[in-house]
Amino acid sequence: MPTPIRALTVADVHRFVDEQVFPTTATDGSNGSDGSDGSDGPAGRQVGIELEWITVTRDGTRDGRGANPEELRALLPDLPGHSRLTFEPGGQLELSGPPAAGLGAALAAMRADTATVRDALADAGIDLVGAGIDTRGDRTRLLQAPRYSAMEEYFDTAWPAGRTMMRNTASIQVNLDIGAPDEVEARWSRAHDLGPVLTACFANSPFDAGGRPSGFRSTRAAVWQAIDPARTSSARRHDPESAARGDWARYVLDAPVMMICVDDAHSVAVRSPQSFEQWIVDGHPLGWPTLDDLAYHVTTLFPPVRPRGWLELRMIDALPEEWWPVAVAITVALLDDPLAAEWATSAVAPARDRWSTAAREALHDPALGEAARWCFDAALLALERVGADPVTIDAAEEYAERFVRRYRCPADDLLDDWAGHPANV
């Protein structure tokens, strides 16, 4: 909550970034919750997985478009992998796995949790759908928390796609260690370089919220790109004198303040643009920012690579059960295996920063298509080294053959099915 007197400086923001976001005393990242130190994982790395699912009811009693979050929560038993269960504003169900000591442990725990949730909901006539966009019309916002009300009001000032983002999108998030101090810069750059390729490889949302072809292979990514670029575009700067810490501090300072929490029950949307740095310098009628306000402001920033003491890779569409482990495993291999990472760094150079092209064309773009093939080949050779189980390795091989080596993604299959339906001819 803000204070009536100035309490924060720009230097405090840089200190926050240095101490909380890019810690310099450890090689591991917490991936969002307390857990093991990761010493048992490949090269001591931890892996965290977050999956969002669209819920669909099969009976006619709840309009076939989902279920109330509290109803869903009441149906679920304790989860064996200890994922945290939450819901997005449109009712999308999210499972956030704790950090695991390596890829194999992370996949096993999340598979157990998704199976538990899927089985429990199936008994109630509810399915989990892995897709980047819910295509059955604009969803009603089911969560009325002050944060979501203020967020919606903020986006309504200039970015109507914000409502679609909140209510209709679903993604996969892979959380990886930020690295030892001498690794941070390379991992920061590599995550950004790989981002468009990962978006393209796993694009799985070619339709808009109304079920019509959108002109994009990843409509989810396009929706994110259509809202407030100061908080959703890449945080990497191309200033040769900048570095990961400087990139993020500048991003935090430049981003407009979305909302001000005046107390636990009230958040006020900031309708007139004011960057966080301007809030520090000039204040606001509601007061001056504190360290708590800074920490909260950071949670309203959604770049495709977000540092939080670990690296959140946020650019992958939600995928069906058979494919989400592939997306996670390929991402881990390309970031954490030294040989695959070195190979990928060279392969992705021609496709660097092609975020909008990845959303629209996916692997039909020649640069992204070639980069993806090289990256997949490198990752496939590394999967066993980073701890992937045989089922995941076989699925990744199948994915490469079915999609990547043919310059396709799941969105292309969906478009082919749509075009072949008599009603759409």
Side-chain angles (χ1 to χ4, degrees):
M1 291 180 285
T3 177
I5 59 174
R6 181 179 285 131
L8 206 63
T9 68
V10 170
D12 291 325
V13 174
H14 285 273
R15 189 175 304 110
F16 174 88
V17 169
D18 287 341
E19 296 176 356
Q20 303 297 322
V21 182
F22 291 95
T24 59
T25 58
T27 61
D28 65 299
S30 69
N31 291 320
S33 60
D34 295 333
S36 70
D37 63 7
S39 58
D40 295 329
R45 303 286 193 196
Q46 288 186 311
V47 176
I49 304 170
E50 299 182 29
L51 304 180
E52 293 175 348
W53 299 93
I54 296 166
T55 57
V56 182
T57 57
R58 280 177 274 160
D59 61 27
T61 61
R62 284 169 287 197
D63 81 7
R65 296 177 56 194
N68 182 279
E70 293 310 311
E71 293 178 11
L72 295 182
R73 194 184 298 276
L75 296 172
L76 300 177
D78 292 338
L79 301 181
H82 306 292
S83 289
R84 182 166 56 95
L85 174 68
T86 56
F87 294 90
E88 293 299 309
Q92 308 95 312
L93 184 152
E94 181 174 14
L95 294 174
S96 301
L103 173 64
L107 290 175
M110 185 56 74
R111 279 193 174 109
D113 286 350
T114 56
T116 299
V117 172
R118 190 179 297 279
D119 290 347
L121 295 185
D123 291 341
I126 299 170
D127 292 328
L128 296 180
V129 175
I133 289 279
D134 187 340
T135 60
R136 292 158 299 143
D138 294 330
R139 293 297 307 268
T140 300
R141 180 161 60 87
L142 300 178
L143 302 184
Q144 304 305 320
R147 172 184 174 90
Y148 295 126
S149 297
M151 182 180 293
E152 190 166 272
E153 183 179 349
Y154 175 84
F155 284 135
D156 283 350
T157 63
W159 302 283
R163 288 190 173 221
T164 302
M165 179 275 288
M166 294 174 66
R167 303 177 183 197
N168 286 74
T169 64
S171 68
I172 295 169
Q173 183 171 301
V174 184
N175 298 331
L176 300 175
D177 286 349
I178 211 158
D182 61 351
E183 299 177 298
V184 167
E185 299 304 329
R187 289 176 69 78
W188 175 252
S189 292
R190 188 177 304 125
H192 284 88
D193 286 348
L194 286 168
V197 174
L198 294 172
T199 300
C201 282
F202 301 108
N204 186 40
S205 52
F207 306 112
D208 63 20
R212 300 169 295 273
S214 65
F216 295 90
R217 262 72 180 186
S218 176
T219 305
R220 181 205 58 81
V223 166
W224 278 97
Q225 292 167 13
I227 58 177
D228 193 0
R231 64 183 356 97
T232 61
S233 63
S234 170
R236 180 173 61 174
R237 301 166 69 87
H238 293 285
D239 182 347
E241 297 182 1
S242 183
R245 291 175 178 83
D247 286 353
W248 186 241
R250 180 41 51 193
Y251 195 88
V252 170
L253 288 164
D254 287 347
V257 179
M258 173 181 280
M259 67 186 82
I260 297 175
C261 298
V262 294
D263 57 45
D264 291 341
H266 299 89
S267 294
V268 177
V270 179
R271 300 178 64 87
S272 298
Q274 182 182 36
S275 72
F276 194 82
E277 184 171 15
Q278 289 173 323
W279 190 15
I280 291 174
V281 174
D282 300 330
H284 184 276
L286 292 173
W288 304 78
T290 65
L291 279 172
D292 286 343
D293 292 309
L294 168 60
Y296 192 82
H297 170 67
V298 169
T299 71
T300 71
L301 307 181
F302 311 110
V305 179
R306 182 165 69 172
R308 298 184 64 192
W310 62 95
L311 293 178
E312 293 180 345
L313 279 73
R314 306 167 51 88
M315 68 287 294
I316 302 172
D317 281 0
L319 292 162
E321 186 68 34
E322 62 182 321
W323 298 134
W324 70 256
V326 175
V328 174
I330 294 296
T331 302
V332 171
L334 293 174
L335 264 294
D336 284 357
D337 181 80
L339 292 178
E342 182 178 358
W343 199 346
T345 297
S346 298
V348 299
R352 186 171 293 149
D353 296 323
R354 297 176 76 85
W355 294 101
S356 59
T357 303
R360 183 177 295 277
E361 300 182 34
L363 300 187
H364 294 270
D365 174 71
L368 287 165
E370 287 303 314
R373 291 188 61 161
W374 282 98
C375 285
F376 245 81
D377 286 346
L380 289 170
L381 294 173
L383 287 180
E384 186 173 357
R385 295 196 297 268
V386 297
D389 58 275
V391 171
T392 300
I393 293 173
D394 288 347
E397 291 279 4
E398 181 181 352
Y399 194 96
E401 189 62 34
R402 178 172 172 177
F403 296 116
V404 179
R405 291 175 184 145
R406 299 170 62 202
Y407 303 106
R408 291 173 62 86
C409 60
D412 290 308
D413 281 3
L414 295 174
L415 286 169
D416 287 350
D417 291 344
W418 183 90
H421 194 282
N424 299 318
V425 175

